[in-house]
């Protein structure tokens, strides 16, 4: 898996995954193609915003029968971000949306996003929140344990399908992350 720049067609694919699983989102309403296009131009392409976005791509190698030709290509399997960056405090919020069939690769994707946040953006702390109604909850709990993140469960943080859900709120510090990477 590699993190790469997102294209307009990539971001449109992410919109379909997002609209199919709104239980994990702060903004639980479907986005139109126009809304996603505006997000792409105003956020993904704008280096002045306090966020950075990456596509998660899986490299595939396919051989064609009856010939010596091969085809190498990259398949988009997710989108990750560090948003709400506070440069003066060296702090940012992590986010992830994966293709449903690649949810098993989310931990590796998160590791790559953390690496970008700590080693490329020079952040000191990366925080996040995951609602208990999200299919990502167990993945984030694993990440929190792996990197000795500071965690707490906050009550009634998400209203979804007629009831309130708690959330896991967490913070990964650069030093704790480095200990696990070395």
């Amino acid at each position: 898996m590699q993190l790469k720049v997102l294209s307009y067609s990539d971001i449109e694919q992410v919109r379909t995954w997002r609209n199919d699983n709104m239980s994990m989102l702060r903004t639980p309403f479907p986005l139109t193609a126009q809304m996603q296009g505006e997000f792409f131009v105003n956020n993904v392409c704008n280096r002045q915003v306090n966020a950075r976005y990456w596509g998660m791509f899986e490299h595939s190698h396919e051989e064609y029968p009856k010939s010596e030709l091969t085809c190498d290509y990259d398949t988009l399997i997710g989108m990750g971000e560090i948003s709400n960056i506070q440069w003066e405090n060296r702090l940012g919020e992590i986010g992830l949306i994966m293709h449903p069939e690649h949810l098993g690769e989310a931990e590796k994707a998160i590791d790559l996003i953390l690496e970008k946040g700590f080693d490329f953006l020079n952040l000191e702390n990366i925080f996040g929140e995951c609602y208990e109604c999200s299919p990502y909850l167990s993945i984030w709990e694993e990440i929190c344990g792996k990197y000795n993140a500071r965690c707490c469960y906050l009550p009634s943080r998400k209203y979804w399908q007629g009831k309130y859900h708690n959330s896991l709120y967490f913070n990964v510090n650069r030093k704790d992350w480095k200990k696990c990477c070395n």
Side-chain angles (χ1 to χ4, degrees):
M1 180 185 308
Q2 289 182 314
L3 298 185
K4 294 184 179 181
V5 174
L6 289 159
S7 70
Y8 183 82
S9 62
D10 295 333
I11 208 81
E12 179 59 20
Q13 177 60 58
V14 171
R15 180 181 74 87
T16 62
W17 302 334
R18 179 205 179 279
N19 286 351
D20 288 343
N21 192 357
M22 291 187 286
S23 67
M24 65 183 177
L25 304 172
R26 288 193 180 119
T27 53
F29 56 86
L31 296 182
T32 65
Q34 180 180 351
M35 293 163 81
Q36 190 75 342
E38 290 171 5
F39 169 79
F40 180 72
V41 170
N42 296 332
N43 293 284
V44 176
C45 296
N46 183 351
R47 301 308 287 170
Q48 301 305 312
V49 300
N50 288 334
R52 299 295 181 262
Y53 300 89
W54 300 276
M56 278 86 178
F57 292 87
E58 183 175 72
H59 185 70
S60 301
H61 178 79
E62 184 176 303
E63 293 187 25
Y64 293 98
K66 300 182 184 178
S67 101
E68 296 179 20
L69 297 174
T70 60
C71 178
D72 291 322
Y73 59 93
D74 292 324
T75 303
L76 179 70
I77 63 170
M79 182 182 89
E81 67 183 73
I82 302 285
S83 59
N84 299 315
I85 298 172
Q86 299 173 22
W87 296 111
E88 65 280 1
N89 293 319
R90 314 304 316 159
L91 175 69
E93 181 175 11
I94 192 169
L96 176 68
I97 295 177
M98 297 287 292
H99 183 290
E101 292 177 11
H102 292 273
L103 201 55
E105 298 174 69
E107 187 173 335
K108 183 175 181 182
I110 293 167
D111 288 340
L112 290 172
I113 299 167
L114 289 171
E115 180 180 12
K116 283 285 192 185
F118 291 127
D119 285 348
F120 180 72
L121 299 177
N122 193 29
L123 299 177
E124 184 65 19
N125 288 288
I126 297 176
F127 68 94
E129 181 174 24
C130 183
Y131 305 117
E132 287 184 338
C133 57
S134 169
Y136 291 81
L137 182 62
S138 62
I139 296 164
W140 287 111
E141 288 173 331
E142 288 277 325
I143 290 292
C144 290
K146 179 178 178 179
Y147 295 118
N148 195 29
R150 305 313 183 268
C151 303
C152 68
Y153 286 87
L154 301 174
S156 304
R157 294 283 292 178
K158 169 80 172 170
Y159 187 74
W160 179 250
Q161 294 185 334
K163 69 178 199 171
Y164 284 97
H165 298 271
N166 299 335
S167 72
L168 168 66
Y169 200 80
F170 57 90
N171 183 80
V172 179
N173 180 269
R174 176 200 300 265
K175 290 176 189 151
D176 292 328
W177 175 79
K178 284 271 190 207
K179 286 178 193 174
C180 295
C181 294
N182 294 333

